[in-house]
């Protein structure tokens, strides 16, 4: 799994290339972002309404309806 330091060093193009090359999956990138948000949010209180499950479901194709 990709770690946060690597995730943080990537822009969107680098993330797309990492997925295309098989270095990681898009779901791994989602999980990394969620883990970081969950770990830092108690200090900064920026995520008012977490939609983490929705992100996971949209990625897996379970629910494309908002």
């Amino acid at each position: 799994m990709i770690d946060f330091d690597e995730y943080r060093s990537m822009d969107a193009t680098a993330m797309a290339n990492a997925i295309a090359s098989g270095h990681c999956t898009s779901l791994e990138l989602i999980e990394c972002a969620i883990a970081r948000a969950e770990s830092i949010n108690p200090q900064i209180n920026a995520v008012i309404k977490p939609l983490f499950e929705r992100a996971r479901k949209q990625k897996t194709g379970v629910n494309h309806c908002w």
Side-chain angles (χ1 to χ4, degrees), residues 17-64:
N17 288 335
I19 293 166
S21 71
H23 178 68
C24 65
T25 67
S26 56
L27 191 55
E28 287 176 321
L29 292 174
I30 290 168
E31 292 298 337
C32 187
I34 289 170
R36 181 59 176 172
E38 289 176 332
S39 71
I40 197 68
N41 197 55
Q43 289 85 29
I44 64 174
N45 198 30
V47 180
I48 306 303
K49 186 175 181 181
L51 300 174
F52 304 143
E53 285 307 311
R54 187 177 284 182
R56 289 178 179 116
K57 286 179 182 177
Q58 185 173 359
K59 168 56 199 121
T60 58
V62 174
N63 184 3
H64 290 285

Side-chain angles (χ1 to χ4, degrees), residues 1-17:
M1 181 160 184
I2 190 167
D3 66 20
F4 182 70
D5 288 332
E6 187 176 7
Y7 173 87
R8 186 175 62 178
S9 72
M10 297 174 155
D11 62 11
T13 302
M15 288 180 186
N17 288 335

